Amino acid sequence: MADALWRLRSRGCWQEAADLLRPQAGRDPSAALTRAELLIEQCLFTADHWERAEDALRQAEAGVAGVEHRAAAACARGFLAYVASVLGRRDRLDEAQAALGRTSALLPPGAPGRPLLDFRRGLVAENLLHDPGAAWIAYRRAHDAAQRRGDGLLCSYTARHLAGLALEDGDRERAREGFRTSLRLREELGFTVGVAPALASLAEVSEPGEAARLRAEASRLVHALGGVPVWLARRLHTGPAADAPPDGLGVEDARGAIS
């Protein structure tokens, strides 16, 4: 099941992956939470299907059993509120902060869910609170913990966002290193749906000829995946100077934590 979920998710087939989990979701809190996270990630990449994600998350919240599941459900709630705010559906900053705060209160230091929580708090700090200092601290903490745990997918996200902050600070070399690391990890993991954003980010700090090649490769990949991420498809169509909403981690590595 974990391998099947990963193959579908990595190709942007979130609904199909969620359908695989539907029979289990009514009786297994972990399956219900995984299903909700998959559909939240679908919202992130498509800027659509919000009701599906909300319904799945409410089901997961209703079936939580124990502190670990309550923390995971709260973390998912905070991420959904973040995604809705970033993609302009409506401002849910207060909800995002409250939910991630509940997650932090429930998780002891060193808990497996802490790195993902720290990353999502970094997203809120960077993109909703516009506090790059707080974002850097949260991303750095998440990145170090993900490296210790061997979580390559989370590392690909933290490296990407740390690189983005470095670029804003004028450090193009550190940004280039981080974007290359993110791209390499996503290619090694086979996280196909996440490769195009990594290519586009690396293009921002590459020489003109290489940048054009990277954007062309990203465009081909987005087209092959049916136009996702939608915000990157718009950006590549309108030109490299256009801003796009940042991505964020939606589900832990499907070959491990969500099985």
Side-chain angles (χ1 to χ4, degrees):
M1 175 69 80
D3 287 343
L5 291 173
W6 173 254
R7 287 193 298 271
L8 289 168
R9 178 202 173 192
S10 66
R11 297 197 301 268
C13 301
W14 301 280
Q15 186 60 56
E16 291 85 345
D19 288 345
L20 279 182
L21 287 168
R22 187 185 298 275
Q24 296 174 248
R27 60 180 184 273
D28 181 350
S30 294
L33 285 165
T34 296
R35 184 170 181 271
E37 287 271 18
L38 285 165
L39 293 174
I40 294 168
E41 186 171 87
Q42 183 179 41
C43 295
L44 174 70
F45 278 82
T46 66
D48 199 358
H49 309 297
W50 302 99
E51 291 76 13
R52 292 177 186 173
E54 291 281 3
D55 289 346
L57 183 53
R58 282 193 292 269
Q59 180 184 359
E61 290 169 333
V64 293
V67 172
E68 182 179 350
H69 287 141
R70 287 202 302 274
C75 194
R77 171 62 62 187
F79 187 54
L80 179 56
Y82 162 79
V83 173
S85 298
V86 164
L87 293 180
R89 193 166 185 255
R90 70 176 188 268
D91 183 1
R92 295 170 61 177
L93 170 60
D94 290 344
E95 180 185 352
Q97 288 183 294
L100 296 179
R102 287 197 304 274
T103 309
S104 183
L106 288 166
L107 289 177
R114 277 277 171 186
L116 182 60
L117 169 63
D118 285 333
F119 174 67
R120 289 176 171 176
R121 295 182 97 170
L123 291 173
V124 170
E126 180 184 5
N127 300 302
L128 299 184
L129 299 176
H130 308 293
D131 186 343
W136 188 90
I137 291 170
Y139 291 149
R140 187 77 251 175
R141 191 161 51 230
H143 186 74
D144 292 345
Q147 285 185 315
R148 289 193 299 270
R149 296 187 60 198
D151 188 340
L153 185 58
L154 181 53
C155 280
S156 81
Y157 278 94
T158 52
R160 170 180 163 82
H161 284 271
L162 286 167
L165 292 177
L167 183 58
E168 287 185 10
D169 202 36
D171 191 339
R172 292 178 64 86
E173 187 55 42
R174 189 154 55 97
R176 187 178 298 110
E177 180 182 352
F179 289 142
R180 281 176 177 161
T181 296
S182 179
L183 175 60
R184 174 181 57 80
L185 287 169
R186 292 180 181 194
E187 289 178 333
E188 289 175 354
L189 291 166
F191 187 50
T192 307
V193 76
V195 169
L199 288 166
S201 292
L202 183 57
E204 295 180 17
V205 291
S206 299
E207 296 301 318
E210 178 68 2
R213 185 191 68 80
L214 291 168
R215 290 192 186 100
E217 187 177 347
S219 295
R220 286 192 296 269
L221 187 53
V222 168
H223 179 73
L225 290 170
V228 293
V230 293
W231 41 264
L232 182 58
R234 298 187 193 112
R235 177 186 178 189
L236 292 170
H237 178 71
T238 56
D243 289 333
D247 67 349
L249 187 63
V251 189
E252 290 184 89
D253 191 337
R255 289 163 295 180
I258 71 169
S259 59

